[in-house]
Amino acid sequence: HAALPVKKSIRKILKLGMPIGFQMLLEIGAFASCTMLAGKLGAITLSAHQIVLHIASTTFMIPLAISSAGAVLVAQALGEGNRELATRRGWLAFKLGAWLMTAIGVIVWIFADPLIGFFTTDQEVIAIAKSLIFIVALFQIFDATQVIGSGVLRGLGSSRPSMIANLVGHWCVGVPVAALLAFKFAWGISGIWIGLSLGLIVVAVALVWIWKVLTTTRQTIP
């Protein structure tokens, strides 16, 4: 009989955890696929892509931390039976992430030369990387929104919506649009980053909408 609660707990963990794993696989897979596409554009372009991706990945640690904190604080508030506090904390996490990444985006754009110069002295690579910085600055705001959305939804006990949003956003929009713009319309590496950004916009908008619906209707999607 003692094994029954354990089995039930394991099922709950897997039900919450498996979609999180698949969500991360879908997101990382999309970025890896776009890096492979960038490789088809040549070594110099790939180098520029890797530099701006490294910059974006470093600044991404900030909203990732907010996402983790948001998940914990939302879950804490729910555990206390305070749904309104959970809702306020979730929206605060969204706002904090947006404000911080807007500020960081401006900083990255203003200090593009020294940031890129830290990685390379090749003028061709620097020129291509600089052409992507404005896209990356905007990209970061939506990247922050989607990762925070995933976090606060986990705090509500809902992980499957993030998985579905990432599937649709990255694999039905982001990667196909990136490939189309880069090669069909010959936009090159800019097309790849625009495609990635569009995918993130879809994911971010979807997760904010789902958060609003769940916190308004006081329901939880499993």
Side-chain angles (χ1 to χ4, degrees):
H1 295 293
L4 290 177
V6 173
K7 290 181 179 179
K8 188 175 180 180
S9 296
I10 291 173
R11 284 198 297 269
K12 286 184 177 180
I13 291 170
L14 290 176
K15 188 176 182 180
L16 183 64
M18 290 297 287
I20 295 173
F22 281 116
Q23 175 228 317
M24 295 178 69
L25 176 64
L26 291 166
E27 185 174 357
I28 294 170
F31 278 81
S33 297
C34 285
T35 297
M36 291 173 62
L37 292 176
K40 294 181 177 294
L41 298 171
I44 291 175
T45 301
L46 179 60
S47 297
H49 168 80
Q50 286 294 98
I51 288 171
V52 295
L53 183 60
H54 190 81
I55 293 171
S57 298
T58 301
T59 58
F60 178 75
M61 295 300 103
I62 295 172
L64 181 61
I66 295 172
S67 172
S68 298
V72 171
L73 292 174
V74 167
Q76 270 185 349
L78 282 183
E80 295 168 359
N82 194 336
R83 187 87 180 196
E84 290 184 6
L85 179 60
T87 301
R88 287 201 305 272
R89 285 175 172 177
W91 285 120
L92 180 60
F94 278 120
K95 291 175 183 177
L96 181 60
W99 291 337
L100 286 174
M101 296 315 289
T102 298
I104 290 172
V106 171
I107 292 170
V108 168
W109 184 51
I110 292 173
F111 295 99
D113 286 323
L115 281 172
I116 297 169
F118 180 79
F119 294 93
T120 183
T121 57
D122 188 300
Q123 293 304 310
E124 286 186 83
V125 175
I126 290 173
I128 296 172
K130 281 184 67 176
S131 71
L132 299 173
I133 285 296
F134 182 71
I135 299 172
V136 173
L138 294 175
F139 160 98
Q140 291 183 124
I141 299 171
F142 295 101
D143 202 12
T145 302
Q146 67 86 20
V147 74
I148 292 169
S150 295
V152 295
L153 284 171
R154 288 172 197 168
L156 288 182
S158 299
S159 58
R160 194 164 57 184
S162 299
M163 178 187 70
I164 296 170
N166 274 269
L167 174 62
V168 175
H170 290 306
W171 292 98
C172 296
V173 178
V175 175
V177 170
L180 188 67
L181 293 179
F183 301 104
K184 180 69 174 180
F185 292 93
W187 287 16
I189 192 63
S190 294
I192 290 176
W193 275 87
I194 290 171
L196 274 173
S197 299
L198 288 175
L200 283 172
I201 290 171
V202 171
V203 177
V205 170
L207 294 183
V208 170
W209 178 78
I210 291 169
W211 169 260
K212 183 178 180 181
V213 169
L214 293 184
T215 53
T216 300
T217 60
R218 297 178 176 272
Q219 295 178 359
T220 299
I221 299 174

